[in-house]
Amino acid sequence: MTLQLYNTLTGQKEPFEPLDPDGRQVTFYSCGPTVYDYAHIGNFRSFLNADVLRRTLELIGYEVEHVMNITDVGHMTDDTQADGGGQDKMEVAAQRLVDAKKSGKLPEGVDIDPSNPMAVADFYTNAFLDDGRLLGLTVATEATSHPERLPRPTAYVQAMIDMVAALIERGHAYQADDGVVYFDVSSWPDYGELSGNTVDALRSGEGGRVDMNTQSIKRHPADFMLWKPDDAHLMRWPSPWGEGYPGWHLECSVMARALLGDEIDLHSGGEDNIFPHHECEIAQSRGTTGCGAFARYWFHTRHLMVDGAKMSKSAGTFFTIRDLLERGASPAAIRLELIRTHYRINSNFMLQGIRDAQRQIDRWDRAQQWLQTHSQVAMDKPGPLSNALEDFTVSLCDDLNIAGALGVLNEAVGRLDLQSDPPTGQGPHTWADELEALHRMDSVIGVLDLQTTAQDAAVEESSQIEALISKRQQARSEQDWAAADAIREELLSMGIAIKDEGGTTVWERVVQ
């Protein structure tokens, strides 16, 4: 089955054909997190959509070598500029933690030297990997067995220096009077092919921001920084152009080339990466290698809104994964809510969506348990899930039509009578075939394993909840209403709502 995938580079859906002459190996590079803070749900929407793409490719038989960078240097506070203006985000994070430590407000669990950017990077890298594993992000689960697939730029600085030198030698870069090495966009006629930003438009400041303070130094206002000498910068390395640090676009070109080759199949990121980051990656990669392409297919996820507006800390609509977990959301429900809107449509995240996603997952899980119970029962012909697998795959192969795929799955599950024993037959099939079909579909959606893991972890918590409810019932029997109310509030703080019905107390988890 052929995947039809929208390619940002061409602006149309195309059949996916990998570079591998045998047609089975796929090279895939994803822009990952900048580890100066916890990744938020908008970041994870992009990461998880790339994960769904990877899983879809694996469903239809490809072997995917997937690399996602962990950026620990180079990203600046104003990444909308091709030069990456402002301050290095890692230095900003270090200073933020220094200030927090001085004021006694260092976040709980942050036991690091906040004046050391690499310690900050290590802390937030581990936090990202923890969150990623909780959400079933495949590349995060591979961190132990394949650490090279989560590269960090600080380990590739020499390779970046080598690429800058090669670009200078090929006439695509120059050192300006202030010592900064810039990529010369006028040397690259294809600059703008991904984003549609022409060099002429950029000259007049249209189509993308330029740094007005450096126009007198740069040959062209759209020229972007490759290396900046700066002996005051906290994170710096020796180079032929002075001790300093690399430009923020350089890292992905270098790591993709080092780990996947001069030309790769797929490159993903959020739509905000299209310009300037991915545009600059293409120019410097092709300028170095001479290849006709850097990545043949470009996959971009659109923005995530919250309650119909941009995420805002002041409005209380800025969420990390940890925020949602504290509100009682399960990792499976968070994952489903972040992937079930098509990646090329702006998604509107709502807490009600988390509740709806959990109900859907619970329904699939009930089907899974029913199928496990009856897995050895014989059938005369394939059942509804086996019959649905092809349509499910067809939907995904239509540019990851996730809504269509979920609709196919829900219709098939709806045809199972979970209140009764299944019909029997003489074979050659069994209901284990239906369970396998369900698992094949979930290999892309990726929630049932998370649900099972959460259920296992919940067993211990349930005993704690039941103990508190028993303690509350004792307080009520003694008419100690203050103690009973305090226990109710304690349960609510754990995300547990209780209701007294007919002399008993029932409880449920709620997303607050």
Side-chain angles (χ1 to χ4, degrees), residues 144-269:
T144 301
S145 59
H146 292 285
E148 74 281 0
R149 295 185 182 177
L150 289 159
R152 292 169 61 161
T154 48
Y156 289 83
V157 173
Q158 184 56 53
M160 295 183 207
I161 292 171
D162 294 342
M163 180 172 281
V164 174
L167 288 168
I168 292 174
E169 182 181 351
R170 289 164 172 74
H172 295 305
Y174 62 92
Q175 188 171 21
D177 292 343
D178 61 351
V180 177
V181 181
Y182 292 103
F183 185 94
D184 183 358
V185 296
S186 66
S187 75
W188 195 254
D190 289 341
Y191 191 77
E193 64 179 343
L194 182 71
S195 63
N197 287 318
T198 66
V199 172
D200 287 341
L202 289 167
R203 182 183 297 278
S204 62
E206 298 172 358
R209 288 188 53 193
V210 297
D211 186 349
M212 304 304 291
N213 295 323
T214 61
Q215 288 193 59
S216 61
I217 299 170
K218 296 191 290 184
R219 295 176 184 173
H220 188 286
D223 291 350
F224 57 91
M225 186 185 84
L226 297 173
W227 188 270
K228 184 174 183 178
D230 185 351
D231 58 12
H233 199 266
L234 197 57
M235 301 174 76
R236 60 187 185 272
W237 295 263
S239 83
W241 316 283
E243 193 172 63
Y245 60 95
W248 70 284
H249 312 296
L250 197 58
E251 60 188 55
C252 290
S253 288
V254 166
M255 292 186 292
R257 185 186 187 197
L259 296 169
L260 298 174
D262 288 353
E263 188 174 350
I264 65 175
D265 292 307
L266 280 162
H267 198 312
S268 74

Side-chain angles (χ1 to χ4, degrees), residues 8 194 268-271 273-274 278 298-302 343-344:
T8 307
L194 182 71
S268 74
E271 67 173 331
N273 290 141
I274 296 174
H278 289 164
W298 289 83
F299 176 89
H300 291 102
T301 294
R302 296 202 66 183
Y343 75 94
R344 286 197 293 118

Side-chain angles (χ1 to χ4, degrees), residues 377-435:
V377 176
M379 305 169 65
D380 292 328
K381 59 184 179 180
L385 289 162
S386 296
N387 289 328
L389 182 56
E390 181 175 355
D391 288 342
F392 176 89
T393 308
V394 167
S395 289
L396 289 173
C397 284
D398 181 15
D399 194 30
L400 302 191
N401 179 3
I402 188 71
L406 293 176
V408 169
L409 172 57
N410 282 326
E411 182 179 358
V413 169
R415 298 181 63 184
L416 300 175
D417 183 1
L418 304 182
Q419 306 305 315
S420 307
D421 290 338
T424 61
Q426 301 303 312
H429 304 281
T430 68
W431 284 92
D433 299 334
E434 292 299 281
L435 181 62

Side-chain angles (χ1 to χ4, degrees), residues 490-504:
E490 182 179 354
L491 288 165
L492 192 59
S493 70
M494 297 166 57
I496 304 301
I498 59 174
K499 183 184 294 185
D500 298 311
E501 295 179 344
T504 63

